Amino acid sequence: MWTIKVNKKKWLLIILLLVALGIGTCKLVNNMSERQVQTITFKNCTENYYYSTKWPDMEGEEDYAARGRLAVCLCQSYSEKADTAIARKIMEIYNNDGRHILFNTSQDKNYNKLDSVIKYRKMVFDTVAQYD
């Protein structure tokens, strides 16, 4: 018969590893339960994002970034086919959430703010959110 001799130090190491694995698993499950999938949709553009209640001081940053991504999608959709409802939604998101970049309007007599927002959509609707 085979016998395994394990001294106290090895048993202590095995127990500590099992406890650490258990704590890590609990934290992972707890973190996953705090995230909730949210969806925003307008016309043919849909954005899904995870809303986390873990960082209360960052409340609103996730949906801010999702609205920016939705606006970029709407700009692309408007470029393919002009629609006044999409144009209104783009300008609504721009006025509420967009980075108000000053466009050079002195060169263009027929200046249209919507056209500039659509042209520079990546810069206007920057979706980078940083966590400290």
Side-chain angles (χ1 to χ4, degrees):
M1 173 144 250
W2 294 64
T3 59
I4 300 174
K5 292 185 179 181
V6 180
N7 60 15
K8 290 181 183 180
K9 288 182 182 179
K10 288 183 181 179
W11 275 112
L12 183 62
L13 180 64
I14 291 170
I15 290 172
L16 286 176
L17 286 174
L18 288 175
V19 168
L21 182 65
I23 290 172
T25 303
C26 289
K27 286 194 175 274
L28 179 65
V29 168
N30 189 22
N31 189 25
M32 294 302 289
S33 67
E34 289 179 355
R35 294 172 19 145
Q36 300 171 356
V37 177
Q38 302 289 324
T39 302
I40 54 173
T41 303
F42 190 81
K43 294 277 185 170
N44 59 346
C45 294
T46 301
E47 285 297 324
N48 297 321
Y49 64 99
Y50 289 101
Y51 182 78
S52 177
T53 57
K54 188 173 184 176
W55 298 291
D57 57 330
M58 292 296 290
E59 189 172 313
E61 293 297 321
E62 292 92 350
D63 54 342
Y64 169 79
R67 283 191 305 267
R69 289 191 308 270
L70 178 71
V72 170
C73 176
L74 290 173
C75 288
Q76 182 65 33
S77 178
Y78 185 85
S79 296
E80 294 168 4
K81 182 181 176 207
D83 184 3
T84 56
I86 292 175
R88 280 191 209 119
K89 188 65 174 179
I90 291 169
M91 292 312 293
E92 176 188 328
I93 295 171
Y94 173 74
N95 289 328
N96 292 333
D97 299 333
R99 292 176 48 206
H100 295 279
I101 297 170
L102 299 175
F103 300 110
N104 185 5
T105 59
S106 63
Q107 302 291 327
D108 191 5
K109 293 180 184 177
N110 299 322
Y111 172 70
N112 184 351
K113 193 175 199 179
L114 177 65
D115 290 341
S116 296
V117 168
I118 290 172
K119 182 177 180 182
Y120 298 106
R121 61 184 169 257
K122 298 279 187 189
M123 190 177 3
V124 171
F125 300 112
D126 189 12
T127 61
V128 175
Q130 295 180 349
Y131 292 101
D132 287 334

